[in-house]
Amino acid sequence: MNSKKMLISLIPWVAFTLLAGHAGAGIVGWAAALAGLLAVAIAAWGMRERAADGSRRRLKVIDAAGIVTFATMAALAFTGSPALREHIVDYGRGSCALILALVMLGSLLVVPFTEQYARESVPRQYWHSPVFRAVNRRISAVFGLAILVSAACHLYAGYLGSHAHLPHAADLALNWVIPVLAILAAINYTRARAALARKSA
């Protein structure tokens, strides 16, 4: 699987997490707008390329979700009240991560989202094989759960920050250490499963 391109699709989500964490209520809308523009640019770049068999690549579900999520977030921030913007500062990161996790896990009901990336480097004759489907289902589930853990951490940090003082150590652990470790674990699992699948092919 082309994990590099999948990680590129996550750049807008990471960018919003970085910016929203330091943005005040006055500029959180611009943070969402920038993340949305990044999602549009990545989607356009991805669709312009050709797959290995010469076919045009389709819009990735992660890119589409990013465009819709950040456009909505920006619209709410720009048109909402100051209180709403404060809520976006507190809970925006967690809400976006929760949406991303639900998209990833929801894709298991149709086509696992990682399959869109895997098809770009795997010959067409293997796309419908039980092994190919099973591997992508597991990888998508692991990534979805990792992002779900991140969402829970961000939301809890937002709750603590809005209702009480959030200590620096708790902020660091909830907003950075635990989410990064969860995503790194998902990446390592992806590499291990892909290597195992190549050996058994």
Side-chain angles (χ1 to χ4, degrees), residues 30-134:
W30 293 107
L34 176 61
L37 289 174
L38 282 171
V40 170
I42 290 169
W45 170 69
M47 292 177 66
R48 190 181 65 179
E49 293 187 334
R50 295 279 181 175
D53 62 358
S55 61
R56 186 172 292 277
R57 293 173 178 172
R58 296 182 179 179
L59 178 64
K60 306 292 192 299
V61 66
I62 299 301
D63 297 334
I67 293 169
V68 173
T69 299
F70 296 121
T72 303
M73 192 76 70
L76 289 172
F78 285 131
T79 63
S81 65
L84 177 58
R85 287 191 287 274
E86 288 290 347
H87 279 296
I88 293 174
V89 170
D90 291 330
Y91 297 106
R93 289 182 290 182
S95 299
C96 287
L98 180 60
I99 291 168
L100 179 59
L102 293 176
V103 168
M104 289 178 168
L105 294 172
S107 73
L108 297 173
L109 300 175
V110 189
V111 177
F113 81 95
T114 57
E115 195 169 307
Q116 291 184 300
Y117 301 92
R119 288 183 177 188
E120 296 180 355
S121 57
V122 174
R124 185 180 289 270
Q125 63 263 32
Y126 298 113
W127 290 1
H128 301 291
S129 73
V131 172
F132 181 77
R133 284 289 172 87

